[in-house]
């Protein structure tokens, strides 16, 4: 008590209390927008969470209410959120790696290779051309990046297909288990591998090339031992060993300079999906999306900035959106001509494969972490990813209604 007035001192708010306030905001605000606004048709909850993260970031909430923003999103709270978000996205990337089924792609290798190659290559070229234009102006390339890294990185960001989000959207459209849905999964799976391969190339650090080669060699040896161990274990133990494996691979990749997300993807790719019950793996993916990924979306939104001007960032986002969507549609239509697809198939597949959201945001986060792109470019890419994903269901749903024969026919 104060000896002069007898008043009790005001309780100082602890970091944990502020963190819990932030967590309440993270889960409450997007849920209310999604549920009350009934946005599911054009913006699933995951997209609303990403948009909310942008709104809660320093460029919007921070500019409008700086005192409130500085109270909630203090440095210690942001560090906790970033740590939780990083682990959440590592789990999600691990699951995406596990769910890649290359056997089906190999069985249909000509069709899958042509389609996946063009669906990735053409938007990459379109995006790279847009990146070359951005290089003519200051403020877009990161301080640590080389021009070729910026061009390839932005180009690949325009070419990305978000496999986990694609699965969610195709479940919503009720085509995931149909022949057309399985074909699209094959194309997206091959593109997913190429995306991470290109990222590893962009992140090659010649000053640490010895570390990176050493990590890859050690990873190859460890894979053999890990796979033998997993086959010998009962399923209940495989879940725990899988998480240990994830942490080790992510650490090794980050230590070598490749980034922990590359390690998370590699950790998942060498795990066979049939080692686990599929229903349990689906529940894990769903629970990670519901319980942990909103933290990643918020921490991502906190990194958005409008340093080069809000209007300029939106113009850049629209240019990148046009490059991304036009490139994807052009590539898939070219594949359709080569493979003699039926009318309408290329448009349907092209629009579904341009779904971005999660994987592109992860990709852009890595480029930002490595200083290859600036915060302004990151914000433009984030806006592009959100817009492209929000366009998918409104465009695809009418196409499905008039193309019922495509949904029910085999390739």
């Amino acid at each position: 008590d104060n000896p002069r007035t007898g008043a009790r001192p005001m309780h100082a708010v602890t970091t944990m209390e502020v963190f819990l306030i932030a967590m309440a905001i993270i889960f409450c605000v997007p849920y209310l927008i999604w549920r009350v606004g009934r946005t599911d048709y054009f913006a699933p909850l995951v997209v609303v969470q990403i948009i909310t993260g942008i709104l809660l970031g320093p460029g919007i909430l921070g500019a409008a209410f700086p005192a409130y923003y500085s109270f909630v999103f203090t440095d210690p709270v942001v560090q906790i959120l970033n740590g939780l978000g990083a682990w959440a996205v590592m789990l999600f990337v691990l699951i995406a790696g596990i769910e890649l089924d290359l056997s089906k792609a190999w069985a249909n290798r000509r069709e899958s290779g042509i389609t996946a190659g063009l669906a990735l290559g053409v938007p990459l070229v379109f995006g790279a051309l847009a990146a070359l234009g951005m290089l003519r102006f200051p403020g877009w390339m990161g301080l640590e990046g080389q021009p070729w890294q910026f061009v390839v990185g932005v180009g690949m960001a325009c070419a990305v297909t978000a496999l986990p989000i694609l699965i969610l959207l195709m479940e919503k459209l009720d085509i995931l288990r149909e022949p057309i849905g399985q074909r699209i999964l094959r194309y997206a799976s091959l593109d997913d591998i190429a995306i991470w391969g290109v990222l590893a190339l962009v992140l090659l650090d010649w000053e640490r090339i010895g570390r990176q080669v050493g990590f890859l060699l050690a990873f190859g040896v460890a894979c053999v031992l890990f796979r033998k161990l997993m086959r010998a274990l009962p399923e209940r133990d495989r879940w725990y060993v899988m998480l240990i494996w994830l942490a080790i691979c992510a650490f090794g990749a980050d230590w070598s300079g490749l980034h922990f997300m590359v390690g998370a993807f590699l950790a998942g790719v060498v795990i066979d999906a049939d080692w686990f019950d599929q229903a349990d793996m689906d529940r894990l993916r769903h629970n990670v999306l519901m319980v942990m990924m909103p933290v990643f979306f918020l921490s991502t939104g906190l990194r958005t900035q409008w340093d080069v001007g809000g209007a300029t960032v939106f113009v850049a986002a629209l240019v990148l959106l046009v490059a991304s969507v036009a490139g994807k549609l052009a590539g898939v239509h070219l594949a359709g001509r080569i493979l003699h697809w039926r009318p309408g198939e290329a448009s349907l597949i092209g629009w579904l494969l341009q779904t971005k959201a999660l994987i592109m945001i992860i990709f852009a986060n890595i480029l930002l972490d490595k200083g290859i792109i600036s915060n302004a470019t990151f914000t433009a890419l984030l806006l592009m990813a959100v817009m492209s994903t929000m366009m998918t269901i409104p465009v695809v749903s009418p196409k499905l209604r008039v193309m019922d024969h495509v949904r029910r026919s085999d390739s």
Side-chain angles (χ1 to χ4, degrees):
D1 293 348
N2 189 309
R4 293 184 178 178
T5 64
R8 292 182 177 273
M10 183 178 293
H11 170 67
V13 181
T14 66
T15 297
M16 179 54 66
E17 290 166 352
V18 177
F19 165 72
L20 293 175
I21 292 172
M23 291 294 284
I25 294 171
I26 290 169
F27 285 96
C28 177
V29 175
Y31 173 76
L32 289 177
I33 295 172
W34 173 71
R35 176 56 69 192
V36 176
R38 298 181 179 180
T39 67
D40 213 32
Y41 180 69
F42 60 90
L45 180 57
V46 61
V47 174
V48 176
Q49 289 168 338
I50 296 169
I51 295 173
T52 305
I54 298 173
L55 296 176
L56 293 175
I60 299 179
L61 179 67
F65 305 100
Y68 175 76
Y69 181 86
S70 61
F71 168 73
V72 175
F73 298 111
T74 62
D75 287 342
V77 170
V78 170
Q79 288 177 0
I80 297 172
L81 294 175
N82 287 342
L84 287 175
W87 181 248
V89 79
M90 278 189 277
L91 283 170
F92 209 79
V93 170
L94 172 83
I95 296 168
I98 294 172
E99 291 179 335
L100 288 179
D101 188 353
L102 298 181
S103 60
K104 292 182 180 179
W106 179 252
N108 300 271
R109 52 189 174 275
R110 180 177 179 271
E111 179 211 8
S112 298
I114 291 173
T115 306
L118 290 172
L120 187 74
V122 176
L124 192 156
V125 172
F126 281 32
L129 292 174
L132 286 172
M134 295 171 71
L135 280 177
R136 297 173 62 88
F137 303 94
W140 298 110
M141 190 170 74
L143 297 177
E144 304 296 325
Q146 298 294 323
W148 75 268
Q149 291 176 308
F150 179 83
V151 170
V152 174
V154 172
M156 183 55 75
C158 291
V160 164
T161 294
L163 183 60
I165 303 303
L166 177 62
I167 291 172
L168 292 176
L169 294 184
M170 289 201 296
E171 284 178 339
K172 185 183 298 293
L173 294 167
D174 198 27
I175 62 171
L176 179 61
R177 305 302 174 192
E178 295 188 12
I180 187 70
Q182 293 301 300
R183 283 173 56 193
I184 294 170
L185 281 184
R186 291 202 307 268
Y187 310 147
S189 296
L190 289 178
D191 281 351
D192 215 20
I193 294 175
I195 288 163
W196 292 100
V198 170
L199 178 62
L201 176 64
V202 171
L203 297 181
L204 275 180
D205 185 346
W206 294 105
E207 294 181 0
R208 292 200 283 180
I209 193 68
R211 278 191 180 191
Q212 294 174 348
V213 172
F215 163 71
L216 294 175
L217 291 175
F219 176 77
V221 174
C223 282
V224 177
L225 301 176
F226 170 74
R227 289 178 61 83
K228 287 183 178 180
L229 174 63
M230 291 290 275
R231 292 191 188 99
L233 291 173
E235 183 179 346
R236 67 177 181 273
D237 293 321
R238 290 173 180 167
W239 295 100
Y240 296 97
V241 174
M242 176 184 72
L243 297 177
I244 298 168
W245 172 248
L246 168 62
I248 293 172
C249 291
F251 169 79
D254 207 64
W255 170 82
S256 70
L258 288 176
H259 203 276
F260 57 84
M261 288 306 168
V262 175
F265 181 74
L266 291 175
V269 166
V270 300
I271 295 176
D272 292 348
D274 58 12
W275 289 347
F276 304 94
D277 181 79
Q278 185 60 52
D280 288 341
M281 186 61 71
D282 290 342
R283 279 191 290 271
L284 175 61
R285 175 171 22 90
H286 172 76
N287 289 332
V288 170
L289 245 181
M290 181 179 70
V291 176
M292 298 191 69
M293 286 304 293
V295 180
F296 169 73
F297 297 138
L298 187 278
S299 62
T300 295
L302 296 180
R303 310 181 76 174
T304 56
Q305 291 185 14
W306 314 82
D307 295 339
V308 299
T312 307
V313 170
F314 273 101
V315 169
L318 288 174
V319 171
L320 293 170
L321 178 67
V322 171
S324 172
V325 175
K328 188 72 72 174
L329 292 174
V332 175
H333 274 84
L334 181 56
R337 284 180 173 272
I338 295 171
L339 298 169
H340 307 294
W341 289 349
R342 279 170 286 193
E345 282 186 313
S347 180
L348 176 68
I349 293 171
W351 276 105
L352 282 168
L353 285 179
Q354 65 85 31
T355 300
K356 300 225 178 313
L358 184 55
I359 298 299
M360 209 256 17
I361 294 171
I362 295 170
F363 189 89
N365 265 285
I366 296 172
L367 297 179
L368 182 61
D369 284 343
K370 294 296 182 180
I372 294 172
I373 62 174
S374 67
N375 285 93
T377 303
F378 175 79
T379 304
L381 288 172
L382 190 61
L383 292 172
M384 180 268 283
V386 169
M387 288 187 288
S388 68
T389 304
M390 289 179 66
M391 293 167 64
T392 303
I393 289 185
V395 171
V396 169
S397 292
K399 293 180 180 293
L400 283 173
R401 285 196 291 269
V402 299
M403 290 181 58
D404 192 59
H405 67 283
V406 175
R407 296 182 59 190
R408 302 180 187 281
S409 61
D410 207 335
S411 56

